[in-house]
Amino acid sequence: MPKPQRREFLLGAAGLSAVPFLGDTATVQGGDVSFQNNVPDPAVSGKELPTFKYALEKSTGKVMRSSYGKEATVTQLPISKGIAGVSMKIEPGGMREMHWHATAAEWAFVISGRVRTTVIDPEGSAETNDFEPGDIWYFPRGHGHMLQCLGNEPCHFILIFDNGYFSEFGTFSVTDWIGHAPKELLAKNFGLPEAAFESFPKDEVYFAFGPVPPEPAKPPLQGLKPPPLTHKYRLLAQPPHRTFEGGREWRVDSSSFPISKTITGVVLDLDAGALRELHWHPTADEWQYVISGSVSVTMFGSHGRYRVESLEAGDVGYVPQGYGHSIENTGPGPARILIGFNTGIYQNIDLSQWIAGNPADVLATNFSQPAALFEKFPKKDVFLTDRDGPNG
Ligand code: MN
Ligand code: MN
């Protein structure tokens, strides 16, 4: 009797594996790297989910004097195809030189210290802004900008880019360009003698160092010509978007910060033991940076694939669009997480909300449980709960 059962099982398994399904690497043909939503992504279509954690602050990155840039791109964290991130510290008098990004918009959150930025847009409008901890900026793809430490304390901020293939070390820097253009061409371009460019840097400077900047900022050479939409938003100066037993959420997308058309930012505070419940985002990937505390992040990837990562302060996590996940504060104190989404319009579906949106008989049949059990489930969205849960 055991023999036929075994053969039946093997036949069944063979039949199943012959059917292409979303997540099957066999359905990727000809090295397709377009990664449309309905094309399986080899980075997440294996039998097991790959790691979705990277210890960003433990990495070295690019260091000059006491300034640095540490990046998390697909090179460091292969799953993170939709979003890259950088942790940058600039010392007093230091400047991340004038540059643009050909392949990504830039969004930033200031952790400590103060920062000044200038940015130019295609209409020739320029904006200079000063930032404090909790403030954010957004620069559309390709708009030229610089970042400068203000005052006598170093500044530290987290940059988020809406393209995981983006590298902070492959940006278009003004010194790199001018250093490699013929002096004759530069002279003609600017109407100056060639000698004027004799002692310009020959290669990319990346971090430039000079005096502590004046306050307030001086006007640009062209005079003031501000853009129609500001690049600055004071996220933590606002009251939280929502407060819960167990935590708070600040959120900013293009509805409150109109220029930020491709990125939504969230700061999530979780008290000890609190949980950001099981949920997913229909339209965006999620990039996480733990500012303080320690959390457990779970991820569900269909076909029985489930993975848990423990993130400490300075670690990065990544959840692809549509993948189920949760964030739980597993440390003794509060935790604060910075989250970026590659969308200007935030969307999420929470599991408690989905359950609450179904009749008890549907749930009873789906789970083979008595209908009465589901009367005890939350009848509305939970989103975030303290250590005792929504009924506690
Ligand atoms: Mn930049
Ligand atoms: Mn999420």
Side-chain angles (χ1 to χ4, degrees), residues 206-224:
Y206 192 82
F207 285 124
F209 300 98
V212 169
E215 294 192 54
K218 305 290 187 199
L221 295 177
Q222 70 177 3
L224 293 173

Side-chain angles (χ1 to χ4, degrees), residues 55 80 86 91 93 103 120 234 242 303 316 337 341 348 355:
S80 65
V86 167
E91 67 206 73
T103 58
I120 191 83
R234 306 211 65 202
R242 293 172 77 184
H303 300 291
V316 163
I337 306 114
F341 302 90
N348 84 114
I355 297 281

Side-chain angles (χ1 to χ4, degrees), residues 235-271:
L235 181 59
L236 293 194
Q238 319 292 323
H241 178 76
R242 293 172 77 184
T243 57
F244 306 86
E245 296 284 335
R248 291 149 294 283
E249 186 211 34
W250 287 263
R251 186 193 299 168
V252 55
D253 68 8
S254 61
S255 64
S256 46
F257 186 32
I259 201 167
S260 188
K261 287 191 169 53
T262 65
I263 295 181
T264 294
V266 162
V267 170
L268 193 64
D269 277 0
L270 295 174
D271 299 341

